[in-house]
Amino acid sequence: MHHYDEPVYLISIVAKILDIHPQTLRQYERENLINPSRSDGRIRLYSQRDIDKIKLILRLTRELGVNLAGVDIILNLKETIDSMEKEIADLRHEVQTAKSAHSVAPEKSLVTKKSLYEMIVFKE
């Protein structure tokens, strides 16, 4: 069994699995929608992650009627959301760890201390 990100599938195999023409895969690469790995001989190699991304592209274009420019925007937004969700999960974990330790380092504090005194100067 191969790792999810391991590039092992040739373009012909991916085209056959997804029932699409290899030129479609080349077009997706030209549009920067996918970025398959390359062997030393410059042969395109796809991972299971690449195949799943292509399936999403096909669903967006075939079933939802999105053009390739729209697919690019959707994929970029999805990547941003995934990144933010990971960051939120990391922050939640950090907060939970701090709660269980009953203390938070000052540099990681969510609330900063303000001075109790504020000075207002009036000019005459």
Side-chain angles (χ1 to χ4, degrees):
M1 196 69 181
H2 299 287
H3 188 268
Y4 189 62
D5 291 317
E6 187 178 354
V8 293
Y9 301 101
L10 297 171
I11 191 169
S12 59
I13 301 300
V14 175
K16 190 170 193 167
I17 290 170
L18 299 175
D19 193 29
I20 58 176
H21 197 279
Q23 280 297 87
T24 304
L25 295 169
R26 292 183 187 98
Q27 175 68 29
Y28 291 169
E29 185 177 1
R30 278 192 299 274
E31 298 284 339
N32 291 318
L33 299 176
I34 58 173
N35 188 20
S37 297
R38 299 281 183 150
S39 70
D40 293 337
R42 304 284 300 145
I43 296 172
R44 290 173 179 87
L45 294 173
Y46 296 83
S47 67
Q48 186 60 49
R49 183 180 304 278
D50 294 327
I51 292 172
D52 290 344
K53 188 173 185 179
I54 296 163
K55 286 179 182 177
L56 174 60
I57 294 167
L58 292 172
R59 182 172 180 270
L60 289 169
T61 56
R62 290 177 176 173
E63 296 175 23
L64 301 177
V66 178
N67 64 21
L68 293 182
V71 169
D72 185 40
I73 291 168
I74 290 169
L75 292 177
N76 287 331
L77 288 172
K78 183 181 180 322
E79 188 176 309
T80 301
I81 290 169
D82 291 347
S83 173
M84 290 176 147
E85 285 177 343
K86 183 186 179 325
E87 186 177 349
I88 288 169
D90 291 346
L91 289 170
R92 283 187 174 145
H93 176 72
E94 208 172 304
V95 167
Q96 188 60 38
T97 302
K99 279 182 181 178
S100 64
H102 301 294
S103 66
V104 177
E107 68 274 5
K108 295 190 177 194
S109 176
L110 298 175
V111 179
T112 58
K113 288 186 178 181
K114 286 189 171 186
S115 172
L116 295 175
Y117 303 100
E118 291 184 13
M119 183 182 290
I120 302 174
V121 177
F122 294 99
K123 290 186 179 182
E124 291 186 27

